[in-house]
Amino acid sequence: MAVLAGLLLALHTPARAEAAGGSGFTAAGHPILFVHGWSGSGGNWDTMAGRFRADGWPAGYLDQWSYDSRQSNATTAQQLATEVDRLLAATGASQVDIVTHSMGGLSSRYYAKNLGGAAKIDAWVSLGGPNHGTDSANTCADTSCSEMRIGSDFLTALNAGDETPGSPRYATWWSPCDAVINPDSSVSLAGAANTRTACLSHNALLTDATVYAQTRDMVNG
């Protein structure tokens, strides 16, 4: 037990961040707004948010936001805009990092493109996002779900012109074993850093240690 306690203590020291090449939280770090996907909740981010805390991010900088995933992604984007402003006011930061899973990427992209959000985002991350649609949305009836269908009016408008507008640093992660996002190529965006993961399920993107480390280093860049 003493050895284990020593190891845990070592994991939380500033020296660990320096050894990892600046992988811990810094004074210039931004608060992170986590946006879950369809039929999810803020609790989906418990593992990832816990890892960010272990790497030095203050608890008040980690916003595991929940919203009604049945509504239009455009409506969610308006609510997201309010949440971003609340988080900035609470932390005194000038920008946020937005980390999304699945459908959460769509409302946050709408916010960046259509609601002036790009100026308030430093880094934007999509884990398994249906950015160009998925055939798994063909069998559900919610407004948001219909917007995820390949060729939907919502996605056509969202992807028209620049897919990564403004100054945010955009990045996506996609898995060749994700059975929810079909085709796999849907995730990648023109102008983003697009990364293929190991063979992970759709929800495993939320908890995989390698995806976390890559996400952490991206938002900390």
Side-chain angles (χ1 to χ4, degrees):
M1 289 298 291
V3 172
L4 178 59
L7 288 173
L8 289 174
L9 179 61
L11 286 173
H12 289 80
T13 62
R16 177 177 181 270
E18 293 173 6
S23 61
F25 182 78
T26 68
H30 299 103
I32 300 175
L33 176 60
F34 297 97
V35 187
H36 64 77
W38 184 72
S39 195
S41 73
N44 293 159
W45 297 103
D46 285 351
T47 297
M48 183 171 283
R51 285 170 169 156
F52 272 109
R53 282 193 298 273
D55 278 335
W57 269 254
Y61 272 55
L62 301 170
D63 186 358
Q64 295 175 240
W65 186 55
S66 292
Y67 64 94
D68 182 355
S69 64
R70 298 167 297 177
Q71 65 194 5
S72 170
N73 287 287
T75 301
T76 300
Q78 294 169 351
Q79 296 170 351
L80 187 149
T82 299
E83 185 64 13
V84 167
D85 288 345
R86 185 204 66 78
L87 184 58
L88 292 176
T91 60
S94 60
Q95 290 183 306
V96 299
D97 295 324
I98 295 183
V99 178
T100 74
H101 180 241
S102 197
M103 190 184 74
L106 303 187
S107 58
S108 54
R109 286 182 61 207
Y110 187 100
Y111 165 65
K113 180 174 183 175
N114 300 311
L115 302 179
K120 298 181 180 181
I121 302 170
D122 175 47
W124 177 90
V125 169
S126 171
L127 306 178
N131 292 310
H132 298 95
T134 176
D135 62 16
S136 63
N138 293 342
T139 57
C140 54
D142 292 342
T143 299
S144 60
C145 207
S146 66
E147 292 171 346
M148 289 191 287
R149 294 172 186 166
I150 297 169
S152 72
D153 290 344
F154 178 87
L155 286 177
T156 298
L158 185 63
N159 292 320
D162 190 354
E163 293 188 342
T164 52
S167 59
R169 296 176 294 114
Y170 292 86
T172 77
W173 277 259
W174 64 276
S175 168
C177 300
D178 187 340
V180 174
I181 305 302
N182 299 303
D184 296 337
S185 59
S186 176
V187 180
S188 297
L189 291 170
N194 302 300
T195 300
R196 171 177 171 161
T197 73
C199 183
L200 300 173
S201 69
H202 189 60
N203 287 338
L205 291 165
L206 291 161
T207 58
D208 181 74
T210 297
V211 171
Y212 162 70
Q214 293 171 343
T215 298
R216 175 202 63 205
D217 293 347
M218 187 270 174
V219 302
N220 219 23

